[in-house]
Amino acid sequence: MPVDFGLVGAPSAARIVVAMSGGVDSSVAAALASQTGAEVIGVTLQLYDHGEAVKRTGSCCAGQDIYDAKMVADRLGIAHYVLDYESRFRTGVIDRFADEYAMGRTPVPCSLCNQGVKFTDLIAFARELGADCLATGHYVRRVVNGDRVELHKGADPSRDQSYFLYWTTAEQLDFLRFPVGDLPKPEVRRLAAEAGLEVAAKPDSQDICFVPDGDYAGLVKKLRPETAAPGEIVAQDGRVLGEHAGVVHFTVGQRRGIDVGGQAEPLYVVKIEPETRRLVVGPRRALAVSAMRIDELNWLGEQQSAVGAKVRSMAPPVAARIAGDWALFDKPEYGVAPGQAAVFYDGSRLLGGGWIAETVAAEDAEPVALRAMA
């Protein structure tokens, strides 16, 4: 299945670097690159201590995955390099993940990883190798529209990864290629099997890659012990309702784990106050948000006033208006938490996004709207 990599000149004179995580998606990206006739070089990132990594499966950039990437490269007859980025990954992703939890925020480590080691550093390395482009296994589409290059959602909505790539710049997008973005997952697996790749039936990675057993709280407690200190559970009016075993166990919007009985309706985490170790809880309607302030806003496309806003990776975009560094929802939205990414779309096209710095409850939206538009 030929894929157009947008190479200038004869493919035989071109060089494509492929980011290979050891999974089926990036392996098929490498196979499709090989079919162009260009020189292909696979690069895999070592992001963990090797002694720990070799015990890990079901995640990217772990010991078994590095071995799988090498086996695929050997099968395809391409060069393969492993880069040790453990220190960069720890400071740029793992430590920041723990810090966000310690501040009562809900982190999105996949966005941090993509805008750091997986794009910025890999692109720099690929350029050093004299590559014409860097290809990855992300389920997104790079669309050339006249003199503009756009980033669109992946063709398979169940696999779309555009939410995590909002920090991509126009310069990076010029250099990036996403050869599986137009394909559904079953077709990717079929192509892998057809090419004789050992990873054709390999399970997809689960949870956050650097949390071996899905125990996020355990990792954060190890790195930031203060997050495990007990504190009060309080109602929105300040009444003490009970005690929790550490803010590390909670995120905004969570219902599970709030052990407070005798309430008229279920309680949810409305706010986390790490300084006082207080957990503020309330009914579901208290989670309704009408506005959010965005930090580090990046526009890949042109800034628009009316956008589709996505505040969770699997949530559908909802109508919103941009006013400065504020995004105002047309209707109250639930599941919006500081620390998450807010990503903006025009249809399937990714416009940009940033980090949610603060949110405003639905009943307080009008003053914020007026202040933001002043």
Side-chain angles (χ1 to χ4, degrees):
M1 173 187 165
V3 170
D4 182 7
F5 277 73
L7 301 173
V8 178
S12 59
R15 176 176 291 166
I16 301 173
V17 170
V18 183
M20 300 180 66
S21 68
V24 64
D25 305 322
S26 60
S27 297
V28 169
L32 293 172
S34 296
Q35 292 175 10
T36 65
E39 178 189 5
V40 178
I41 299 173
V43 177
T44 301
L45 302 178
Q46 166 70 51
L47 302 180
Y48 312 99
D49 174 77
H50 181 70
E52 180 66 24
V54 292
K55 305 172 189 176
R56 296 169 46 74
T57 59
S59 64
C60 68
C61 311
Q64 180 62 45
D65 301 303
I66 293 172
Y67 176 80
D68 289 344
K70 175 173 172 44
M71 292 300 99
V72 169
D74 289 347
R75 167 76 70 173
L76 296 174
I78 64 175
H80 179 248
Y81 295 94
V82 178
L83 305 182
D84 182 0
Y85 276 28
E86 180 190 349
S87 177
R88 289 270 290 138
F89 186 73
R90 171 167 287 278
T91 57
V93 179
I94 298 178
D95 285 347
R96 183 162 172 178
F97 174 84
D99 288 340
E100 289 287 283
Y101 258 102
M103 291 187 291
R105 293 158 61 92
T106 305
V108 187
C110 293
S111 293
L112 292 173
C113 185
N114 282 310
Q115 72 189 51
V117 294
K118 282 191 177 176
F119 274 11
T120 303
D121 294 345
L122 264 183
I123 287 176
F125 181 74
R127 290 191 186 279
E128 288 178 8
L129 292 178
D132 294 88
C133 62
L134 171 68
T136 80
H138 287 98
Y139 282 89
V140 292
R141 293 177 293 142
R142 177 183 182 273
V143 176
V144 179
N145 183 5
D147 60 355
R148 182 173 69 187
V149 182
E150 302 172 346
L151 187 61
H152 286 249
K153 296 177 185 178
D156 185 342
S158 67
R159 305 298 305 178
D160 170 52
Q161 294 173 300
S162 61
Y163 175 82
F164 301 109
L165 303 185
Y166 76 85
W167 196 256
T168 306
T169 66
E171 181 182 7
Q172 290 173 337
L173 191 56
D174 280 339
F175 193 68
L176 289 164
R177 302 294 186 271
F178 308 105
V180 304
D182 284 304
L183 305 175
K185 184 74 175 202
E187 177 66 6
V188 170
R189 291 200 181 277
R190 187 192 69 78
L191 290 173
E194 190 177 83
L197 305 184
E198 294 87 343
V199 298
K202 184 176 180 177
D204 293 332
S205 58
Q206 301 294 324
D207 297 315
I208 297 174
C209 67
F210 55 86
V211 184
D213 53 5
D215 182 11
Y216 311 143
L219 172 70
V220 176
K221 283 191 288 187
K222 179 179 178 182
L223 297 175
R224 305 290 183 268
E226 68 275 12
T227 62
E232 295 176 336
I233 300 175
V234 302
Q236 291 175 279
D237 60 8
R239 288 179 296 114
V240 177
L241 303 177
E243 188 174 270
H244 63 79
V247 295
V248 68
H249 299 287
F250 300 92
T251 56
V252 171
Q254 181 174 324
R255 177 182 173 186
R256 179 178 51 82
I258 303 174
D259 297 324
V260 175
Q263 303 300 308
E265 50 191 318
L267 297 177
Y268 297 79
V269 178
V270 174
K271 185 179 180 182
I272 298 173
E273 299 177 349
E275 299 85 359
T276 60
R277 303 197 304 273
R278 296 203 315 171
L279 206 64
V280 182
V281 299
R284 185 177 183 275
R285 60 181 174 275
L287 294 174
V289 166
S290 285
M292 56 184 176
R293 184 172 62 81
I294 312 300
D295 271 350
E296 301 180 47
L297 186 54
N298 173 66
W299 289 106
L300 175 59
E302 73 282 3
Q303 182 173 346
Q304 298 186 16
S305 58
V307 299
K310 195 176 172 85
V311 295
R312 297 177 305 283
S313 62
M314 299 307 294
V318 297
R321 292 167 290 132
I322 303 297
D325 58 356
W326 286 92
L328 314 173
F329 294 109
D330 286 8
K331 297 179 181 178
E333 179 69 3
Y334 292 81
V336 187
Q340 291 174 314
V343 183
F344 306 122
Y345 295 84
D346 177 7
S348 69
R349 180 162 64 105
L350 187 148
L351 296 173
W355 301 107
I356 301 174
E358 64 177 300
T359 61
V360 178
E363 62 263 28
D364 298 329
E366 191 60 28
V368 172
L370 293 174
R371 185 168 72 247
M373 294 177 179

